[in-house]
Amino acid sequence: MRREFAQSELAANWIALKTIVHREVRRFLRIWPQTLLPPAITMVLYFVIFGNLIGRQIGDMGGFSYMDYIVPGLIMMSVITNAYGNVVSSFFGSKFQRNVEELLVSPVSAHTILLGYTIGGVLRGLAVGLIVTVLSLFFTRLQVHHLGVTVVVVLLTATIFSLGGFINAVFARNFDDISIIPTFVLTPLTYLGGVFYSISMLPPFWQTVSLANPILHMVNAFRYGILGVSDIRIGVAIAFMLVASAVLYAICIRLLVSGRGMRQ
């Protein structure tokens, strides 16, 4: 009897997980002119302005043309912003419409709820990242240097920022609150995270300060997977991302179980 109950509970949670993921995917595909098209246009402008126009004046960087050097960083930037934005907007929308209360009182585990929203964010981040990668082929030729590192890094990065978006959504009280972190935290960290330059160009003091920026490790680890060059140790970067994913996941589960910030 106990075994049958466990199997029934597992089946119910599996159905709930598929339902949440399906809803999240349909959500960002249904409004693709708002979710998929704008980042694609933005990245094309980066390719044209920074890669072609400014890149010709800069020359080579790290043994590669400037366009080749910044493409991995721009792909990662699109993954970060879209994975984060999908979860923070979706979960806060559920809070605002009070749909999340029905989800919390249902016989669905907190892990299932969190995984559903996180997978939705990861899929949107990967979708936009894939679109940007395809568009970059019109400006440069990409040759993946380490496929395993590339896949692991992009998945971990999308997961970290999906979980971060979930935390932001939990504590947000209005729609203005969900734009504070992207505007005042994510954007500065991204631009200072080695997307457009190598930290080897900085004075020693600022090189050390830059190492405190988590996005620097993600961008450089992804650049290593694509180009085979990096300003940081890849093992350290991946270990950091694994620890960050575990810590953020534990925090999110604690928030879900406690119900803190779930009511508008």
Side-chain angles (χ1 to χ4, degrees):
M1 180 66 97
R2 185 176 299 177
R3 182 179 179 181
E4 292 178 356
F5 177 78
Q7 291 177 342
S8 176
E9 185 178 14
L10 181 61
N13 278 281
W14 173 244
I15 293 173
L17 177 62
K18 291 193 297 182
T19 302
I20 296 173
V21 172
H22 183 257
R23 184 195 66 185
E24 291 298 295
V25 173
R26 284 195 62 187
R27 173 181 169 273
F28 71 74
L29 289 179
R30 185 177 64 251
I31 55 174
W32 64 268
Q34 302 174 40
T35 57
L36 302 181
L37 187 58
I41 294 175
T42 301
M43 289 303 127
V44 169
L45 292 175
Y46 277 122
F47 292 145
V48 172
I49 296 172
F50 286 92
N52 280 342
L53 301 181
I54 298 178
R56 292 173 184 174
Q57 307 300 320
I58 295 177
D60 291 347
M61 183 171 292
F64 297 89
S65 69
Y66 189 66
M67 174 68 83
D68 290 346
Y69 190 84
I70 67 172
V71 163
L74 292 175
I75 295 172
M76 186 57 67
M77 184 166 69
S78 66
V79 171
I80 289 171
T81 55
N82 285 276
Y84 189 95
N86 190 77
V87 179
V88 69
S89 60
S90 178
F91 192 77
F92 180 78
S94 295
K95 281 178 53 181
F96 185 79
Q97 299 170 4
R98 299 192 180 278
N99 297 334
V100 70
E101 297 176 6
E102 299 175 3
L103 191 60
L104 292 174
V105 298
S106 67
V108 177
S109 72
H111 294 280
T112 300
I113 297 172
L114 180 59
L115 283 174
Y117 279 98
T118 302
I119 292 173
V122 169
L123 291 177
R124 177 174 163 184
L126 294 180
V128 176
L130 179 61
I131 292 172
V132 174
T133 301
V134 171
L135 291 174
S136 71
L137 298 178
F138 290 95
F139 300 91
T140 186
R141 295 178 61 185
L142 290 180
Q143 295 182 351
V144 179
H145 192 263
H146 290 288
L147 179 61
V149 172
T150 303
V151 172
V152 169
V153 170
V154 74
L155 287 176
L156 285 175
T157 300
T159 300
I160 289 171
F161 285 95
S162 293
L163 293 170
F166 187 89
I167 295 174
N168 188 179
V170 168
F171 287 102
R173 289 291 176 265
N174 52 58
F175 284 100
D176 291 334
D177 290 344
I178 67 176
S179 64
I180 291 176
I181 300 298
T183 302
F184 296 104
V185 178
L186 288 187
T187 299
L189 289 179
T190 301
Y191 279 94
L192 297 174
V195 173
F196 300 102
Y197 62 89
S198 169
I199 62 169
S200 61
M201 301 171 62
L202 302 176
F205 172 76
W206 291 111
Q207 289 186 34
T208 304
V209 172
S210 296
L211 294 176
N213 183 351
I215 294 181
L216 174 74
H217 298 269
M218 300 173 189
V219 168
N220 272 273
F222 188 70
R223 181 175 286 128
Y224 176 80
I226 300 294
L227 301 179
V229 296
S230 173
D231 293 328
I232 48 88
R233 295 180 180 179
I234 304 304
V236 173
I238 293 178
F240 159 75
M241 286 186 278
L242 288 170
V243 172
S245 298
V247 171
L248 289 174
Y249 187 88
I251 293 173
C252 291
I253 287 295
R254 181 67 180 271
L255 291 172
L256 269 176
V257 172
S258 67
R260 182 178 179 182
M262 297 300 170
R263 296 179 181 272
Q264 276 298 105

